[in-house]
Amino acid sequence: MTVELDVEADRLRDSVERVLRRARERSVALTDAVDDDDLVRQHSKLMSPLVWDLAHIGNQEELWLVRDVGGREPVRCDIDELYDAFQHPRASRPALPLLSPAEARGYVREVREKVLDVLANSRMGGRRIVERGFAFGMIAQHEQQHDETMLATHQLRTGAPVLDAPPPPKPGGTRLPAEVIVPGGPFTMGTSAEPWALDNERPAHQVHVDTFAIDTVPVTNGAYQRFMAAGGYDDPRWWREAGWAHRNEAKLVAPRFWERDGDTWVRTRFGVTEPVPANEPVVHVSWYEADAYARWAGRRLPTEAEWEKAARFDPATGRSRRFPWGDDEPTPVHANLGQRHLRPAEVGAYPGGVSPLGVHQLIGDVWEWTGSDFHGYPGFAPFPYREYSEVFFGPEYKVLRGGSFGTDAVACRGTFRNWDYPIRRQIFAGFRCARDVRRDESG
Ligand code: AVJ
Ligand code: FE
């Protein structure tokens, strides 16, 4: 028994070390890609300077893994306040006396060395926070979430391209049905078993969902351009009141990063301008734009429960899977995750990731706006800190699901929940549509 537990703990420590290293390689690549001047500059009021994200990653790691889990002395006790996201809004961060790029790099390295020592000595159990490596998994996810945020900052910066990646796979040419019918009935939403699931994904609970239809693939640029060409941005019928007000104030006419070039649209991605690719999922649209498109199309956004049922429900067993394809961790066969590519793949490009009911690309490519506000599930309990989720619960945030090409596998699963304001467009967000299905239609 003890020997088995030791083997189990060894395996866990190895996998923790791998995900921590993977996150750090990405953070280093994203911050080494530009010069120091670029690291300390603010590329958009919506974002922190990259050097803030870097030191904040180290500071969270220090707070939870060095001090709390490890019970060690602080590496630096004088900078917590600077890197507390609740003390300083993003727009004010460039003016703070932040660590310089060299200091930030030294800081995260020093913290990591201590953490690897804490890890080597951790029993991976005993206290709830280290049960099955939770705190380490939480910090790897935190770093990867900031890496995705830094990738969004890269997308907002101007200048010559500095990031590079091979193109994603192309679809095989199989024709897919436009939509999939998901049978009504109960399913298990959320999880109590996933060791690294964050507090807002818990606990597992039964939810009844009426029969509905959901798009087989995310809405493409080509489909979205038909909405634009039909005057969708100029017709208040399709927009809810707050969306129409925002469309007027922000003068929305197209997704973020699109520009008119003669009579076609081009878009700039990580410094490269190209014609808008018709078969890729649309990305960089706000919730209000997604909502207006859906209404124009005679459809609606899926609720969060509908999205999760489409992604996880296995009608053969009645069970909810970890991922659409099953319980195995994502690989490049399943989904476009982890910044392996710098764009979403064309729709139909991941047949290996299809759900039991036949829905494609739920994981990876683009975050998908749902129609739902961000709330705690029945029985929610904040863990390990209220500021991860609970302080954001309420009607002002909309839930996004599924992860993007810029989301690492450690921070993505069938239960994972993201949220943002309905006006936000700098995140890698698209959507798919759903509709109610009448009883006589579903037989
Ligand atoms: C879950 C992506 C909304 O970036 O604000 C990072 C993740 N929480 N540091 C965010 C997060 C604390 C969070 N999102
Ligand atoms: Fe953070």
Side-chain angles (χ1 to χ4, degrees):
M1 187 61 190
T2 339
V3 175
E4 272 171 41
L5 280 178
D6 285 352
V7 172
E8 179 68 28
D10 277 344
R11 209 178 287 134
L12 195 49
R13 275 189 290 266
D14 281 351
S15 73
V16 163
E17 197 174 323
R18 266 198 312 278
V19 296
L20 286 175
R21 286 193 198 283
R22 184 167 84 220
R24 186 52 47 86
E25 273 173 31
R26 186 176 177 200
S27 307
V28 167
L30 286 164
T31 48
D32 282 357
V34 293
D35 61 25
D36 281 10
D37 173 60
D38 214 305
L39 286 176
V40 302
R41 266 218 321 266
Q42 187 160 48
H43 297 281
S44 155
K45 283 198 186 57
L46 296 175
M47 310 308 270
S48 316
L50 292 166
V51 75
W52 186 91
D53 285 284
L54 182 62
H56 167 81
I57 284 168
N59 187 239
Q60 285 290 112
E61 187 166 323
E62 165 172 12
L63 288 172
W64 290 104
L65 300 183
V66 177
R67 296 191 211 166
D68 189 313
V69 172
R72 310 276 174 100
E73 286 303 307
V75 178
R76 286 196 65 152
C77 53
D78 55 326
I79 58 171
D80 293 354
E81 187 266 342
L82 284 176
Y83 296 103
D84 178 344
F86 290 87
Q87 297 285 330
H88 309 283
R90 283 178 176 178
S92 73
R93 290 174 191 167
L96 299 172
L98 301 177
L99 299 190
S100 69
E103 288 168 332
R105 289 182 172 114
Y107 173 59
V108 300
R109 218 176 292 128
E110 195 180 336
V111 169
R112 180 54 61 86
E113 273 167 32
K114 298 226 154 98
V115 163
L116 292 176
D117 189 56
V118 169
L119 176 64
N121 291 292
S122 170
R123 285 178 45 227
M124 310 305 264
R127 292 174 62 204
R128 177 173 171 203
I129 192 156
V130 283
E131 206 59 60
R132 298 167 77 190
F134 174 81
F136 296 97
M138 175 182 82
I139 287 302
Q141 291 179 69
H142 180 260
E143 180 159 359
Q144 288 286 2
Q145 287 176 321
H146 278 274
D147 288 345
E148 182 165 354
T149 298
M150 288 198 278
L151 188 64
T153 305
H154 270 272
Q155 169 62 8
L156 285 160
R157 72 181 275 283
T158 51
V162 296
L163 299 176
D164 195 26
K170 292 273 189 188
T174 323
R175 267 190 76 92
L176 298 171
E179 59 179 20
V180 168
I181 295 195
V182 179
F187 89 107
T188 302
M189 184 172 187
T191 177
S192 302
E194 187 72 39
W196 291 358
L198 302 169
D199 58 2
N200 63 54
E201 298 165 69
R202 301 169 186 271
H205 58 290
Q206 293 278 109
V207 174
H208 175 90
V209 177
D210 284 335
T211 302
F212 69 102
I214 190 163
D215 291 349
T216 306
V217 296
V219 171
T220 63
N221 288 322
Y224 198 82
Q225 277 181 276
R226 288 194 281 284
F227 163 68
M228 290 164 59
Y233 274 90
D234 302 318
D235 193 334
R237 271 185 304 165
W238 313 134
W239 299 71
R240 60 184 70 208
E241 209 174 299
W244 184 249
H246 175 66
R247 169 260 179 222
N248 289 329
E249 195 195 309
K251 302 186 172 60
L252 302 183
V253 295
R256 183 92 220 255
F257 307 114
W258 287 32
E259 256 176 332
R260 199 86 211 176
D261 179 24
D263 52 8
T264 62
W265 287 96
V266 295
R267 63 110 183 263
T268 302
R269 184 193 298 291
F270 303 115
V272 180
T273 303
E274 62 177 18
V276 169
N279 296 327
E280 272 180 29
V282 67
V283 60
H284 298 301
V285 287
S286 61
W287 185 88
Y288 287 128
E289 289 164 294
D291 177 68
Y293 172 98
R295 200 166 291 105
W296 168 77
R299 302 170 72 80
R300 58 175 174 78
L301 295 178
T303 64
E304 190 184 4
E306 287 171 338
W307 189 97
E308 187 168 324
K309 186 167 181 181
R312 299 182 63 207
F313 182 65
D314 178 359
T317 61
R319 245 188 88 248
S320 287
R321 300 170 157 197
R322 295 178 69 214
F323 297 98
W325 54 85
D327 292 343
D328 295 344
E329 292 294 319
T331 70
V333 170
H334 298 121
N336 181 11
L337 290 168
Q339 206 190 305
R340 274 198 318 277
H341 313 294
L342 284 172
R343 53 165 68 211
E346 289 183 18
V347 295
Y350 283 90
V354 70
S355 78
L357 291 162
V359 188
H360 285 242
Q361 283 163 300
L362 287 151
I363 298 292
D365 297 299
V366 293
W367 286 103
E368 298 181 18
W369 287 112
T370 71
S372 301
D373 297 341
F374 188 43
H375 289 293
Y377 292 154
F380 168 84
F383 183 78
Y385 64 114
R386 282 190 70 239
E387 291 75 18
Y388 182 75
S389 313
E390 194 182 28
V391 299
F392 300 102
F393 290 162
E396 62 274 44
Y397 289 97
K398 299 296 180 189
V399 173
L400 300 115
R401 289 301 203 102
S404 77
F405 65 91
T407 308
D408 186 82
V410 78
C412 190
R413 52 197 159 261
T415 55
F416 192 93
R417 307 171 77 197
N418 193 4
W419 63 92
D420 215 329
Y421 291 121
I423 63 169
R424 288 292 182 247
R425 312 208 292 172
Q426 87 284 3
I427 53 176
F428 304 108
F431 63 103
R432 74 180 74 213
C433 297
R435 66 177 176 91
D436 297 343
V437 168
R438 297 184 320 271
R439 271 185 197 289
D440 58 356
E441 224 187 316
S442 56

